[in-house]
Amino acid sequence: MRMRPTLSWTPTEDLPPGTTDLGPITDALGTGGVLVLSGAGISTESGIPDYRGEGGSLSRHTPMTYQDFTAGAQARRRYWARSHLGWRTFGRARPNAGHRAVAAFGRHGLLSGMITQNVDGLHQAAGSDGVVELHGSLARVVCLSCGASSPRSDLARRLEAANPGFAPVPAAINPDGDADLTDEQVADFVVVPCAICGGILKPDVVFFGEAVPPERVEHCRALVREAASLLILGSSLTVMSGLRFVRQAAQAAKPVLIVNRDPTRGDRHALTRVALPLGAALTTVADRLGIPVDGRSADQAPTERGVD
């Protein structure tokens, strides 16, 4: 029997309540050497829903798993039909104040590194450099047979040509770029193969139930070792891919600070959890530090995400 990945978490202990005091966050950034780890919550203000917050997509949607995707053509047809439609909306999202504040902190030398669990490319579109995409990027596609990587925009054009007039109305768009469609809406969708070898194409993201590449994990562990503190932005830390770095920081006696409106699986390791909206909270911190949050990138098309 196939094991399903962990999608939810319920606290089994009394956790310290969230606060509105931004002092510890401001102090940590003012000192510098902060490693940022961001999750889906930082992109909600850009119109991309999160998984587990209020109204999160997991309440109505089970994400595609690696096991299901590789098991059969029907699952892949369903995924690519829904993802193709979702990409049109998802790919047009723009960075919000939270992304721009993080980019400003980086430009002013306050960050030692940047890790994101998101696959939306919004940190890079806001101007952040050296972002480690822990779970990959929807802007890239990889062939499971020959390993060739190609831009998502190329695949989008091929899928458009193979499915002229495909424009069903989705019930919602999810954090992974997946659109909620019925089986009837995707039944006739045509999936295209790898243009090089004819193999199966997969988005270059880590699906639920799939392991993060070991070399990427080790790179992130090295970033934790080098950091003075770890700042979590908009992540429930439900899955181990992010929680392991919180545990590593705590074991090394490095301060862990969290900005997330809801309790997280890492709260017991944290110095504080600030329960405020991310955009407003990070902009306030930037103001206290005298750092302007440059908004020019908010109007730039995220070309590195391959959106036409």
Side-chain angles (χ1 to χ4, degrees):
M1 183 170 137
R2 186 182 300 159
M3 296 292 293
R4 304 296 293 182
T6 299
L7 300 180
S8 62
W9 164 76
T10 301
T12 57
E13 58 185 305
D14 291 332
L15 297 173
T19 179
T20 59
D21 179 13
L22 289 166
I25 310 294
T26 306
D27 292 342
L29 283 163
T31 302
V34 176
L35 174 62
V36 167
L37 171 63
S38 72
I42 199 169
S43 293
T44 57
E45 293 173 41
S46 294
I48 299 175
D50 65 7
Y51 285 110
R52 301 175 179 86
E54 183 177 353
S57 69
L58 287 182
S59 63
R60 54 177 168 74
H61 161 73
T62 300
M64 176 63 69
T65 67
Y66 181 79
Q67 292 79 8
D68 288 340
F69 185 85
T70 55
Q74 183 175 352
R76 292 190 291 275
R77 178 182 296 110
R78 183 171 65 252
Y79 174 81
W80 279 120
R82 293 161 60 121
S83 184
H84 178 57
L85 186 64
W87 177 246
R88 297 173 183 171
T89 300
F90 184 90
R92 295 188 183 100
R94 295 293 183 267
N96 63 55
H99 299 111
R100 296 195 296 273
V102 171
F105 299 147
R107 284 195 302 273
H108 283 76
L110 306 185
L111 305 183
S112 65
M114 170 82 223
I115 304 169
T116 185
Q117 298 175 99
N118 300 338
V119 296
D120 54 35
L122 290 175
H123 282 295
Q124 295 92 320
S128 288
D129 294 324
V131 179
V132 179
E133 294 174 310
L134 187 63
H135 295 155
S137 172
L138 279 177
R140 300 184 300 270
V141 178
V142 64
C143 176
L144 294 181
S145 296
C146 71
S149 178
S150 58
R152 177 64 178 266
S153 54
D154 289 354
L155 176 62
R157 285 190 285 270
R158 294 179 63 206
L159 289 174
E160 290 283 356
N163 297 277
F166 180 74
V169 178
I173 304 295
N174 300 305
D176 50 6
D178 186 26
D180 281 345
L181 297 175
T182 65
D183 289 343
E184 291 75 16
Q185 289 175 306
V186 307
D188 297 326
F189 190 81
V190 177
V191 178
V192 299
C194 173
I196 296 175
C197 75
I200 294 171
L201 294 176
K202 173 185 173 293
D204 194 7
V205 300
V206 177
F207 280 151
F208 282 88
E210 185 179 6
V212 177
E215 63 276 11
R216 195 178 303 164
V217 174
E218 181 49 40
H219 178 41
C220 292
R221 288 197 180 279
L223 290 176
V224 175
R225 288 193 293 269
E226 296 163 2
S229 60
L230 178 62
L231 175 60
I232 309 299
L233 302 176
S235 176
S236 67
L237 300 168
T238 294
V239 295
M240 188 55 65
S241 64
L243 181 62
R244 63 181 134 201
F245 305 124
V246 171
R247 290 178 173 174
Q248 178 188 350
Q251 289 169 359
K254 297 175 186 281
V256 174
L257 308 103
I258 299 174
V259 184
N260 198 66
R261 297 194 71 166
D262 298 317
T264 83
R265 199 175 172 190
D267 281 7
R268 70 185 184 90
H269 301 293
L271 175 67
T272 185
R273 177 177 63 85
V274 176
L276 289 173
L278 275 156
L282 295 179
T283 300
T284 298
V285 171
D287 288 344
R288 291 182 181 180
L289 293 171
I291 295 175
V293 176
D294 188 350
R296 67 176 181 268
S297 58
D299 298 322
Q300 294 174 345
T303 53
E304 66 270 29
R305 294 188 287 145
V307 180
D308 294 330

